[in-house]
Each structure stands twice: as C-alpha cells, then as structure tokens.
Amino acid sequence: MHPTRRQFLALSTVALFPLAGSAQAPLNADTVPIYVWRGSGHSFGGFSAIHLFPNGLDFIALSDRAFVYTGQLARDAHERITGVTTRSIHQLRDPEGNPLSGPPGDSEGIALGADGTLYVAFEGGRRTRVAAYETPDSPARILPRHRDFRHMPGNGGLEALAIDAQGRLYTLPEESPTTSFPLFRFENDRWTIIGHVPARNGFAPVGADFGPDGNLYLLERRFRVPSFATRISRLRPGRWDQPETLFETAAGTLDNHEGISITRTRAGRLRATIISDDNRFFLQRTEIVEVLLD
C-alpha cells in the first residue's frame, strides 16, 4: 500500500519540530509568537480550520476527522495568547444524524453564518461537498454541488471556506490542473466560478476568511520535503486574480498551518489567527500563531 499524502507529510517532518518546548516561543526573525496547544483524547489534533469571534477570545476549531471544538483563548495585557480552554467537543453528523468517521468525515474548512449556521467543507473525490449545520450536533444539510466538485482529487479538494457579509460562501480547491485555482461562490442555491486565483511559487490555498474590511484572506501552504512554508495573501473583491502577499515564512519556520480567521485587535489592527494540523503525529504539534496584517 502506498502511503497517503497525510502520512507522507507526517513522516517527512520528523526532523523539523522538537518534542518539547515552552508554550510561547519566538518565530525566528519574524518575532511572531507561537502558542502550542496541547490536548489529549482521540478527538484532539488534526485541526484544519478555526473561527475566532470578534471579541478575539471565543473560537470554534474544526479537525479533519469531523470533530468541532468550542473554547476560549486567554490573553495577556499585550493580547498574546497564554492559554486555551476547551468548552465543548462535538462530532459532526451525516444527513441521517449518524456520526461521521473515516473518509466521509474529512472535514477541512468552516464558515459561520450570521444566523449561527455552521458551514463545513469536506474533501474526498466524489465525497467533496459543503454541508450546513444548524448546530454542531444537528444532522447535515448538504448544499447543491458544483459539477466540478466530483472531479477534484481526494486529497486536493476543498479545504478553504469563507462567508462574506452578504452571507455568500466562497471556496477553492487545494489542487488545480491549470495555472490557477477556480474561486467558487454559492448564492441563490448554486455554485458559480467567479474568478481564478493564480498559482504562485508552489503555494496552495488551504484556508480562507473574510476580514472585517470586506477583503478575502487566503492561508496558503507550500510543502517541500521535509518542511512547510506558510503565506497569507489578500484578495480584493472583483480583483481575484491580483493577490497581494502580506506574510510569508521560510520553509521550516512553522508547522502545517491550515486554518485562518481574521479579526481586529482592541487597538483596531487587522489580525490573522492561524492554526496547524499536526497530522496526529507525535513529532508535530498544534500551533496557534497570530500575525498583524496592517
């Protein structure tokens, strides 16, 4: 049996990340703090998406095995993260109300509607879909699929999901057969391709969120044995083909970051909160990193 992409990513990072360290450590020359979230239990780890509420404290985190965590961040006087408290853990369900597991539960992206509806993107070839949940414990309501979803690769489908102020969903695949990534928007009960984001320097989109400024922010990842590089780009509506790079790390600076949420600090500065997928591999870790974008 050939190793999966996830197993390959995990095995190839053996030399990168230390087993121990303080919760707060400097991010090389960028001086951006890394908070390491440590947890236990079969549901912990593999976080692929995060939503941070406007207060900068309450959050929803999604694992790639259909588990939803709700919790709260603790911050010091400088708003640096100093702790994480888990409030609840939920296992997402299929339309019949059965708990999701295995390949059908490969949940990768989240977006929260103004009415509290939780939208989740799942990747996996013909299983690629976006589902809506009234609550994390409700049965799934599967949104109509775009015809292109069924042709997406099992490990390169929908990972990024975002919702704008008008309640419209946006997504794009992690892999594309062309030199750009199609950007899908869901409105009037259907998906349409509204633009294409150019592929640049080997990075692939793995997370997305609309900021309070109305712009779409992409979290992008590049994997080259044996390390990851991370990038955050801004897309202005109507100029989807003109991404602006705001933040980029050298390979090996961070773990495998896949989720992003955009909020403002108490001082009004734009802040990106990103979370890493540790692949549930003991030499990787769950990092929460925050970057000021203005």
Side-chain angles (χ1 to χ4, degrees), residues 220-291:
E220 300 160 288
R221 174 187 62 197
R222 183 177 65 204
F223 174 68
R224 291 177 181 168
V225 178
S227 60
F228 302 95
T230 299
R231 186 172 71 190
I232 298 173
S233 296
R234 177 171 55 207
L235 298 176
R236 299 181 186 274
R239 290 189 276 169
W240 310 116
D241 61 344
Q242 301 173 46
E244 307 166 56
T245 299
L246 304 180
F247 175 80
E248 185 174 329
T249 71
T253 304
L254 294 177
D255 206 316
N256 176 31
H257 282 259
E258 292 192 359
I260 184 171
S261 185
I262 307 296
T263 55
R264 288 199 185 276
T265 66
R266 289 196 299 264
R269 298 190 65 182
L270 207 61
R271 171 178 59 202
T273 303
I274 62 176
I275 192 168
S276 68
D277 175 359
D278 66 353
N279 292 300
R280 293 181 175 82
F281 187 60
F282 75 103
L283 288 179
Q284 290 184 260
R285 60 193 188 180
T286 300
E287 298 174 348
I288 303 178
V289 172
E290 295 194 310
V291 180

Side-chain angles (χ1 to χ4, degrees), residues 9 35 69 76 82 87 99 103 124 134-136 143 153 161 163 185 212 214 236 256 273 280 285:
L9 290 177
Y35 181 85
Y69 276 60
D76 65 14
T82 58
R87 287 176 170 163
E134 290 185 11
T135 74
L143 302 186
L161 187 66
I163 190 167
R185 183 167 68 196
R236 299 181 186 274
N256 176 31
T273 303
R280 293 181 175 82
R285 60 193 188 180

Side-chain angles (χ1 to χ4, degrees), residues 63-90:
S63 86
D64 56 13
R65 293 188 184 181
F67 286 100
V68 171
Y69 276 60
T70 70
Q72 188 175 70
L73 304 178
R75 298 182 181 275
D76 65 14
H78 301 286
E79 294 197 65
R80 293 174 299 196
I81 298 171
T82 58
V84 179
T85 299
T86 299
R87 287 176 170 163
S88 63
I89 304 172
H90 311 261

